[in-house]
Amino acid sequence: DDYVKQLERLFATSAISYDDFVEALKDKRMLAILKQLSVQPADADRLVYHLTGGGDKNVLLSTLVRGAIMLNDTASKMDNLENLVNTDLARRKLVPPSVPNLGNITDTGTMGSMTDKKLLHITRQSMRAVPNRLRALCDVMPFELQEERTTFLATVLSIWSVIISVDGGCGFVVAPNEVFMSAANRRVDFQVVDRSPKFPKGYMTQRLRNVRTDSDQFLEAMREFTLHSENDRWPEGHEASNLPKDGFTLVDGNSGRRLKCASRIV
């Protein structure tokens, strides 16, 4: 099969891990093959994740190609495929990976890091250099259309503008919506922490509904949200009185709008 041969030339092997595939998504050749197969990168990511048993084993490239073709042949697309894969995994009774060694608990009750992992490399950057670094990062991200890349970069730069304009600390996660959906399908949960009977979907999430990240309204809301106090909660008399000011803001990079605010990732 021509697709299999192309993949074997790219990977120099006949079977790959999930991590191998994720790394390959940075390669234009991989994106070109997916385009030939009429498969979106996010769908391919989910496919490989399930075919590798949640990242625990390798998958043959021939199996990957057959799965990609199935994405276009089945009416319910990924849902049907996931059911097939999950059933197959259950039949094989795959053993979940062993719990990584997290080191000893210190006297202060702090959990250690994974002992077999390299330390995270942190590079200090001047504020002036950050926009160019963000542009360079977006340049190597796997977008099919230049228009998508341009929109995503504009969203990222608008978030950077917010970060340097607020007084307190804040955290943002910017990605295409389908990436968040893919993470959710891997049982990553995005839990809003500022819910109440008045704000069942979360105060900040409801407040910023359909508000673009490059708007004055978004900036003002984030300024209030990051204005921390001793208890990191909205003050008495505020409509969100006593609700937590905590968590990440999840942003769809393609639309420039929030998906969830005040969210913890578990």
Side-chain angles (χ1 to χ4, degrees):
D1 185 282
D2 182 56
Y3 296 125
V4 176
K5 291 179 180 178
Q6 289 185 62
L7 289 171
E8 287 178 343
R9 286 195 295 269
L10 175 61
F11 289 102
T13 184
S14 60
I16 61 170
S17 67
Y18 173 68
D19 288 340
D20 292 333
F21 179 78
V22 171
E23 185 65 25
L25 284 177
K26 302 175 184 177
D27 193 313
K28 293 181 179 179
R29 293 173 296 172
M30 183 74 246
L31 297 179
I33 295 171
L34 293 178
K35 188 172 183 179
Q36 293 174 43
L37 288 165
S38 300
V39 175
Q40 294 293 324
D43 285 341
D45 180 282
R46 290 174 61 193
L47 169 67
V48 176
Y49 180 79
H50 285 280
L51 290 177
T52 57
D56 293 338
K57 62 188 183 74
N58 290 347
V59 60
L60 290 172
L61 293 175
S62 56
T63 301
L64 168 57
V65 170
R66 286 197 298 272
I69 293 173
M70 286 176 64
L71 292 182
N72 295 315
D73 289 344
T74 55
S76 56
K77 209 177 181 183
M78 182 61 75
D79 291 335
N80 279 353
L81 182 60
E82 287 181 358
N83 287 335
L84 292 173
V85 172
N86 289 336
T87 299
D88 182 57
L89 294 179
R91 286 174 180 164
R92 297 182 192 183
K93 297 182 180 179
L94 284 175
V95 178
S98 58
V99 177
N101 183 1
L102 296 177
N104 297 323
I105 303 299
T106 67
D107 292 339
T108 58
T110 302
M111 181 178 289
S113 298
M114 294 183 184
T115 56
D116 60 342
K117 294 290 185 179
K118 293 182 180 179
L119 293 176
L120 179 65
H121 180 66
I122 300 175
T123 304
R124 296 181 65 87
Q125 298 288 327
S126 67
M127 291 180 62
R128 182 178 299 179
V130 170
N132 286 334
R133 292 300 297 268
L134 293 174
R135 291 187 181 94
L137 176 61
C138 289
D139 281 344
V140 299
M141 291 180 67
F143 293 100
E144 288 193 352
L145 301 175
Q146 184 58 36
E147 181 181 357
E148 294 176 346
R149 189 185 311 279
T150 301
T151 302
F152 190 90
L153 175 59
T155 299
V156 169
L157 292 178
S158 71
I159 292 298
W160 171 245
S161 179
V162 170
I163 290 173
I164 62 176
S165 299
V166 299
D167 294 327
C170 53
F172 293 89
V173 181
V174 185
N177 183 47
E178 57 266 26
V179 172
F180 289 107
M181 296 298 294
S182 177
N185 285 327
R186 297 179 211 163
R187 302 182 66 81
V188 176
D189 194 11
F190 305 103
Q191 299 179 354
V192 171
V193 301
D194 60 348
R195 285 193 178 96
S196 72
K198 185 177 179 180
F199 303 105
K201 294 184 179 180
Y203 169 67
M204 285 294 290
T205 299
Q206 292 183 217
R207 176 175 174 176
L208 292 177
R209 183 175 183 270
N210 291 328
V211 177
R212 291 185 56 85
T213 58
D214 57 1
S215 68
D216 292 339
Q217 186 178 350
F218 186 90
L219 175 58
E220 180 58 31
M222 294 310 302
R223 278 177 171 158
E224 293 182 26
F225 180 71
T226 59
L227 190 61
H228 293 303
S229 60
E230 290 185 2
N231 63 0
D232 281 341
R233 292 177 179 270
W234 291 95
E236 294 294 333
H238 191 277
E239 62 177 342
S241 175
N242 208 38
L243 291 178
K245 289 183 173 184
D246 197 10
F248 291 91
T249 300
L250 313 182
V251 178
D252 176 13
N254 291 336
S255 69
R257 291 177 171 82
R258 66 94 185 107
L259 295 173
K260 281 187 177 181
C261 302
S263 176
R264 60 185 176 186
I265 305 173
V266 295

